[in-house]
Amino acid sequence: MEQGQKKTDECCFGPEGRIDVGGLIKRINDTMEKRANNELQSHDVTFFQFKMLLTLHCLKGGTATLKELEHYFGVAQSTAAGVAVRLERKQLIESFPDPNDRRVKCVRITEAGRALCENHRAAMDQGERDMLRSLSLEEREQLKNLLLRVYRSLCCPPAAEQQIHLKG
């Protein structure tokens, strides 16, 4: 094992040499986010901003309320609104009041936002392939299913988790 690899691996172990799973997941996420931010830097867009754009890009009509985005990303209202303001300044989204309730703010991806998503989606997909390249196809599916179960067990009450498992 190379010296740099050994030092990196040591950071993943907790007391008594046990692997710190939560810490390892965080390090993987941080590494992926750093790579994505480097990729998007030339467009003055952060990875979180890009994820919001991708979400809008995938929605019918490319539109969502700020409240929906807040819930989807699990962030505070001020965070969702701040990201939306920055994306609107960059002309990647546009905002408008909900026609049914003028107190509700909606955002819609612009053509420039769609183009950015289409141009950089391949790079984001390549990052995920790089992350999973040492796993077989079966192991990749197993990892995805296990991570989803862990996520659901943390986020869903036991009764809701059972229903999700039965449906999914």
Side-chain angles (χ1 to χ4, degrees):
M1 182 182 304
E2 295 177 23
Q3 183 63 25
Q5 183 67 45
K6 183 177 181 190
K7 186 173 183 173
T8 300
D9 286 353
E10 288 173 355
C11 297
C12 300
F13 294 98
E16 302 171 11
R18 291 185 299 217
I19 293 178
D20 173 14
V21 175
L24 186 55
I25 290 170
K26 180 173 181 349
R27 284 179 176 274
I28 292 167
N29 182 68
D30 291 349
T31 301
M32 295 297 292
E33 189 169 338
K34 183 178 179 181
R35 290 173 109 191
N37 280 325
N38 287 338
E39 171 73 26
L40 295 163
Q41 187 175 20
S42 63
H43 295 281
D44 191 31
V45 175
T46 67
F47 183 51
F48 188 78
Q49 291 169 353
F50 185 73
K51 288 192 304 185
M52 189 176 282
L53 283 174
L54 270 180
T55 300
L56 291 169
H57 184 63
C58 294
L59 293 174
K60 184 178 180 182
T63 304
T65 67
L66 281 183
K67 186 58 101 177
E68 289 168 334
L69 294 172
E70 172 188 333
H71 288 297
Y72 180 79
F73 289 106
V75 297
Q77 186 275 335
S78 59
T79 301
V83 171
V85 164
R86 287 186 285 286
L87 288 172
E88 191 167 19
R89 281 188 199 137
K90 297 169 188 179
Q91 299 180 337
L92 299 171
I93 66 170
E94 57 190 5
S95 65
F96 58 95
D98 184 321
N100 300 320
D101 184 347
R102 306 214 40 92
R103 298 170 297 172
V104 176
K105 186 174 183 178
C106 296
V107 293
R108 177 175 37 236
I109 192 166
T110 63
E111 285 306 313
R114 286 187 189 286
L116 182 67
C117 287
E118 290 165 10
N119 290 337
H120 286 279
R121 181 61 197 238
M124 298 300 128
D125 290 345
Q126 183 60 50
E128 185 167 317
R129 284 192 297 275
D130 290 347
M131 175 178 64
L132 300 173
R133 72 175 160 236
S134 65
L135 303 177
S136 69
L137 288 175
E138 182 179 309
E139 289 170 327
R140 291 174 196 181
E141 283 306 307
Q142 185 178 23
L143 177 62
K144 289 175 187 179
N145 289 327
L146 290 171
L147 289 172
L148 185 57
R149 279 178 47 198
V150 169
Y151 175 75
R152 286 176 175 164
S153 73
L154 291 172
C155 298
C156 300
E161 181 182 339
Q162 247 180 352
Q163 289 176 346
I164 291 171
H165 183 66
L166 294 174
K167 291 178 184 176

